[in-house]
Amino acid sequence: MSGEEAPTQQHPPEKQDMKPDEPPPAASDAPQESRSSPAAEEKPLSWRALVLTGFGGYDKVKLQVKVQKQPQLQAGEVLVRVKACGLNFAELLGRQGLYELLPAPPVTMGMEASGVIEAVGEDVTDRKVGDRVIVLSRSGMWQEVVVVSANCTFLMPEQMSFVEGAALPVNYVTAYMMLFEMANVRPGKSVLIHMAAGGVGIAATQLCQTVQDVTVFGTASASKHETIAQGGVTHPIDYRTKDYVEEIHKISPNGVDIVLDPLGGSDTQKGFNLLKPLGTLIVFGAANCVTGQKKNLLAMAKTWYNQLSLTTMKLMQSNKAVCGFHMGYISDEQLIISTMSILLELYSQGKIKPHIDSCYHFEEVADAMRRMHERQNIGKVILLPEPKKEEEKPKPNPEPEENVEKSEAAVDEKKEEATEEVKAEKD
């Protein structure tokens, strides 16, 4: 990342209903004034956004400062000041040009965020200025302010942090719909969760704990086993050093009832073979295609060649079910709303809680993506729109010993003041 750079010859988007192929426009720093003061309406606003400028490596995601006129909210819209954004595997695919729902560059990525409503349009009766909300969309969330339909927002529980709010929607909606809407997980069933230390993996594990006597097999590197075991994985398996199929058969000779497959390729075939009679395989990704920061045509071809191929006759004779899940293609808005309502209630009951791996400022988006690409994360990686504060540079000359005590006292006093400011901001 090269820091902030002003866009060149880039016209601000006209305000309209939020669409999957267009990032929402930014909000103003003082939206209330834009309604009542003509001078405020004429004053342009600027905001920071992460823009995918082309397909390729980490350097294709640029931190830009955009400028446009004060947004005028349409009926049913709200303006949200973004506090945290989620990073998902879909954005890694999108950067490589492998996510078909992402518009062509230049485009602002990001499907989920959390923040505070700063203005509401006409006909919005269930949201108000000051509400803490989660925002869900197909793109456009990686910026400081967004304008979206009020239906795309969800009120956050009081005890939920902004970081947790940004970590919940995509991972937990995906996991919930697969487990409960498709696989119909029930007491006594067994589930294989690949990439069990990832965002969806941890979400699925926690949701399995809401059902009695569900056995969870989870694949992850050995260094992550302690964490996923504490989170509810019954049998952690190191896929790097062991054959997970053999390990599962040692424990459960008949296999498992449900397989959640984000890998694709040969692993989908293995998952199908692992199913018990009347078992369900759900394919929801193709992570095997992604081996580095740039598109790997060989890995894509290998994954495609080794994909599962079935006839309806073979499916009948096997007494198994194969499902596909892609949250981006769910057009039923009410289905998303009802699922989010269930998940937020489970959070309030203390039954689920997003596991945060790390937080990166917008300036550090390359590091955030690298961490996920290299499978180092345990849980959710979060992006923070707030500018990163520059670290104080060490002074060239040391202070005299007689001033050390005074300096330390001054530093302690500043720390206390900073802590109070942070608490005030959170409140």
Side-chain angles (χ1 to χ4, degrees):
M1 289 298 301
S2 59
E4 300 179 0
E5 55 182 77
T8 57
Q9 297 181 347
Q10 182 170 349
H11 299 286
E14 294 180 1
K15 185 65 212 79
Q16 56 185 8
D17 289 339
M18 186 172 171
K19 297 180 180 179
D21 62 345
E22 183 177 15
S28 68
D29 290 329
Q32 295 86 350
E33 294 181 1
S34 67
R35 287 184 170 184
S36 58
S37 172
E41 292 179 359
E42 297 175 359
K43 180 181 178 181
L45 64 97
S46 64
W47 75 99
R48 289 151 43 96
L50 289 174
V51 179
L52 179 66
T53 58
F55 299 132
Y58 305 128
D59 60 328
K60 296 300 182 180
V61 182
K62 303 289 187 182
L63 177 57
Q64 297 182 350
V65 176
K66 298 188 175 184
V67 179
Q68 77 166 50
K69 296 180 180 179
Q70 296 285 343
Q72 297 299 312
L73 300 184
Q74 303 297 317
E77 291 181 335
V78 295
L79 183 151
V80 179
R81 172 72 55 178
V82 176
K83 299 295 185 180
C85 312
L87 172 61
N88 293 286
F89 202 81
E91 277 98 36
L92 304 188
L93 293 172
R95 201 196 66 244
Q96 295 186 0
L98 300 176
Y99 191 72
E100 63 279 5
L101 291 178
L102 186 69
V107 60
T108 300
M109 295 196 294
M111 297 186 292
E112 58 190 348
S114 62
V116 179
I117 292 179
E118 290 194 343
V120 297
E122 296 179 0
D123 299 331
V124 177
T125 59
D126 56 351
R127 298 288 184 271
K128 65 182 184 300
V129 174
D131 281 346
R132 301 166 68 249
V133 294
I134 294 168
V135 188
L136 185 59
S137 178
R138 286 188 176 92
S139 63
M141 293 295 100
W142 288 1
Q143 48 189 338
E144 289 183 305
V145 278
V146 295
V147 173
V148 297
S149 167
N151 293 333
C152 296
T153 67
F154 307 89
L155 294 174
M156 295 169 55
E158 289 185 7
Q159 67 272 33
M160 178 179 283
S161 68
F162 288 119
V163 169
E164 289 178 331
L168 186 135
V170 172
N171 291 162
Y172 281 82
V173 169
T174 296
Y176 184 91
M177 287 187 172
M178 290 192 299
L179 286 170
F180 294 96
E181 302 292 348
M182 285 185 161
N184 191 25
V185 62
R186 302 184 302 281
K189 295 297 183 179
S190 55
V191 184
L192 168 60
I193 301 175
H194 286 292
M195 299 175 70
V200 174
I202 288 179
T205 301
Q206 291 182 4
L207 288 168
C208 283
Q209 305 311 301
T210 67
V211 182
Q212 187 177 4
D213 297 329
V214 172
T215 301
V216 177
F217 295 86
T219 63
S221 56
S223 61
K224 303 176 181 179
H225 283 190
E226 181 179 355
T227 301
I228 64 174
Q230 292 175 352
V233 172
T234 318
H235 303 290
I237 301 172
D238 184 0
Y239 68 95
R240 294 182 177 180
T241 60
K242 297 180 180 179
D243 184 331
Y244 65 84
V245 174
E246 292 181 2
E247 295 301 310
I248 291 174
H249 279 145
K250 289 178 183 178
I251 301 169
S252 178
N254 294 328
V256 296
D257 297 294
I258 301 168
V259 174
L260 304 183
D261 174 28
L263 303 174
S266 60
D267 288 291
T268 304
Q269 181 68 62
K270 292 177 181 178
F272 183 80
N273 294 337
L274 271 171
L275 289 178
K276 295 179 180 179
L278 306 185
T280 302
L281 166 67
I282 303 177
V283 181
F284 68 103
N288 285 334
C289 287
V290 180
T291 58
Q293 65 167 303
K294 295 184 179 180
K295 185 186 300 184
N296 187 327
L297 296 178
L298 180 60
M300 292 175 61
K302 183 178 179 181
T303 302
W304 179 265
Y305 179 79
N306 290 318
Q307 69 178 334
L308 177 65
S309 180
L310 291 172
T311 63
T312 53
M313 184 60 67
K314 182 177 180 181
L315 201 57
M316 290 170 54
Q317 294 171 348
S318 65
N319 288 302
K320 299 177 182 179
V322 178
C323 305
F325 182 85
H326 194 308
M327 184 176 170
Y329 282 100
I330 293 180
S331 57
D332 187 343
E333 185 178 271
Q334 191 55 47
L335 182 58
I336 299 292
I337 292 174
S338 61
T339 301
M340 280 295 294
S341 177
I342 293 171
L343 292 170
L344 291 172
E345 179 61 27
L346 288 173
Y347 177 90
S348 296
Q349 295 173 0
K351 294 182 178 180
I352 62 173
K353 184 179 178 65
H355 183 94
I356 307 303
D357 171 78
S358 51
C359 296
Y360 293 86
H361 291 271
F362 273 6
E363 292 89 342
E364 305 167 310
V365 64
D367 295 329
M369 286 188 158
R370 184 179 295 107
R371 183 168 181 81
M372 185 174 285
H373 260 306
E374 297 176 357
R375 311 264 177 106
Q376 296 177 348
N377 61 299
I378 302 178
K380 192 74 172 184
V381 177
I382 296 294
L383 297 174
L384 302 175
E386 180 185 8
K388 183 180 180 181
K389 296 180 180 178
E390 294 184 4
E391 298 180 359
E392 291 187 6
K393 297 181 180 180
K395 295 182 178 180
N397 298 319
E399 297 184 52
E401 292 183 4
E402 58 194 61
N403 293 332
V404 169
E405 293 182 2
K406 293 182 180 180
S407 299
E408 291 179 347
V411 170
D412 291 339
E413 183 178 353
K414 289 182 179 179
K415 286 183 177 179
E416 291 177 2
E417 293 176 355
T419 302
E420 291 176 359
E421 292 177 3
V422 171
K423 289 182 178 178
E425 290 177 0
K426 290 183 177 179
D427 293 339

